[in-house]
Amino acid sequence: MSYKSPRYWALVTVKNGEMTIVESLESIMRQSVEPSLVCVVNDGSTDSTSNLLFKLKDSYQNIHIITLEDKGYDSRRIVHNWNIACDYVKKSGKEYDYLLISSDDVVLPKEYVERLIQEMSIDPKLAVVSGNRGLAQSDFISLPEGAGRLIRVSFFSQIGYRHPPYYGYEPWILYKALQMGYRIRKLADLKYEHKRTFGVGHQFIEYGPAMRCLGYHPIFVLARVVRNILTNKTGISKSASLRMLFDYLFEGKWKDDPYFQYFDPELREFIRNLQKQRLFRKLTMI
């Protein structure tokens, strides 16, 4: 079977994305390996996004639009919107091999998905893979990016075909894959573009509680914050890095937030042990 044969669907979330949504969606529709479906979740946009989406739908029949009520901006709604799209696809009964997660400001090169599918086809244990948006990795392991990642559906089905609606949902699926014996990868040479400045929407407010929910090792968190402050290559400001550390250390401020919930002890222990191994390897290289 050619690596061009598998079917994939793309998930795109948007809120007030009139400046970027057309270029973003067209970069998906014009991939060398075309998507079988593009499911766009419009999170109550109040600008011209809705009109632009329906114009695009006239040109591309495989676009499906889900329009939600405007409830203001809250970055925590992203995972909620992802799951709405996943539930729609699951209920449709249609089968796909891969899921591409993107966003309203992501622009992909034409061969992007073809390259990711090729990697997946070569390695059947590769569960999640992405290209590189050009920022330095603020971790000791090269984790796939958020928007721009391709997920193997057979693996995704094993974990419920949805993401947990809690802080840390993006890295959760990566560590879950590793815990289950799969592999993950970020292709450093496969560049793509985010049109908006990294962090302009969420301001990194989820990073601290996410690391706490996932059970990150304290020394690992400290090393990550120090690196952010010293290098200025990750796109995370000094003030945001310090807030990450504060939010990780003082979980009491999150106790009444239903979005703050510890993941299962086995996964938390797995993550912490993995990070201890990474820290040891890093120290032995110095």
Side-chain angles (χ1 to χ4, degrees):
M1 178 185 292
S2 167
Y3 62 79
K4 291 187 177 182
S5 299
R7 288 163 48 88
Y8 74 96
W9 69 281
L11 193 170
V12 180
T13 55
V14 56
K15 185 173 183 68
N16 296 333
E18 62 183 3
M19 302 300 293
T20 57
I21 188 60
V22 173
E23 184 178 7
S24 177
L25 283 179
E26 287 190 336
S27 77
I28 296 175
M29 304 308 302
R30 296 173 180 174
Q31 285 294 300
S32 56
V33 179
E34 296 180 6
S36 301
L37 168 71
V38 178
C39 187
V40 183
V41 182
N42 179 10
D43 192 14
S45 295
T46 56
D47 60 4
S48 63
T49 294
S50 296
N51 291 333
L52 293 172
L53 288 176
F54 283 103
K55 287 181 180 178
L56 283 167
K57 185 173 175 58
D58 288 338
S59 300
Y60 303 104
Q61 298 303 309
N62 55 342
I63 292 181
H64 176 76
I65 302 169
I66 298 174
T67 303
L68 305 179
E69 177 185 354
D70 178 23
K71 294 185 177 180
Y73 178 78
D74 187 340
S75 62
R76 298 177 300 179
R77 286 179 56 79
I78 294 175
V79 65
H80 170 264
N81 297 344
W82 281 8
N83 286 336
I84 286 177
C86 289
D87 288 344
Y88 165 79
V89 170
K90 190 174 181 180
K91 290 176 182 177
S92 74
K94 295 182 179 179
E95 296 185 356
Y96 302 94
D97 299 289
Y98 305 105
L99 159 61
L100 172 71
I101 292 184
S102 192
S103 184
D104 61 346
D105 71 318
V106 168
V107 177
L108 306 173
K110 187 174 182 180
E111 309 294 329
Y112 185 84
V113 175
E114 181 177 358
R115 174 78 182 283
L116 296 185
I117 289 179
Q118 183 178 21
E119 292 293 322
M120 290 283 213
S121 300
I122 293 171
D123 184 355
K125 294 297 288 183
L126 190 58
V128 187
V129 64
S130 81
N132 181 11
R133 61 182 160 178
L135 291 173
Q137 183 68 38
S138 60
D139 204 334
F140 295 145
I141 180 173
S142 186
L143 300 177
E145 304 285 0
R149 63 177 53 172
L150 192 72
I151 302 171
R152 189 182 298 276
V153 165
S154 59
F155 155 72
F156 196 42
S157 297
Q158 287 181 270
I159 57 174
Y161 213 94
R162 60 189 355 256
H163 289 77
Y166 311 123
Y167 290 111
Y169 63 90
E170 276 193 332
W172 167 83
I173 193 173
L174 305 178
Y175 288 115
K176 194 67 179 175
L178 294 174
Q179 184 190 31
M180 295 171 62
Y182 287 93
R183 286 183 280 274
I184 60 176
R185 188 176 302 156
K186 180 166 74 172
L187 307 181
D189 64 318
L190 182 59
K191 301 295 179 60
Y192 70 99
E193 182 180 8
H194 268 278
K195 287 293 184 178
R196 287 193 297 270
T197 302
F198 180 50
V200 70
H202 54 69
Q203 297 295 311
F204 311 103
I205 60 174
E206 296 191 15
Y207 281 38
M211 291 190 292
R212 187 68 182 238
C213 289
L214 287 161
Y216 276 36
H217 194 286
I219 298 177
F220 186 90
V221 173
L222 181 61
R224 183 178 187 184
V225 169
V226 170
R227 181 187 177 188
N228 289 348
I229 292 173
L230 294 179
T231 65
N232 196 31
K233 292 181 179 180
T234 62
I236 304 177
S237 68
K238 293 181 180 179
S239 60
S241 296
L242 291 173
R243 187 183 64 234
M244 284 165 50
L245 180 60
F246 179 86
D247 289 345
Y248 168 82
L249 293 174
F250 299 99
E251 66 171 359
K253 66 175 293 186
W254 306 101
K255 63 183 176 62
D256 296 323
D257 186 345
Y259 199 55
F260 182 88
Q261 178 170 316
Y262 280 2
F263 289 97
D264 65 88
E266 292 79 11
L267 179 63
R268 287 166 54 83
E269 184 66 19
F270 173 82
I271 292 172
R272 186 162 291 206
N273 286 334
L274 180 63
Q275 291 173 344
K276 284 192 289 188
Q277 294 171 18
R278 299 285 175 180
L279 285 166
F280 178 77
R281 291 175 188 172
K282 195 75 173 180
L283 288 173
T284 56
M285 293 173 60
I286 295 176

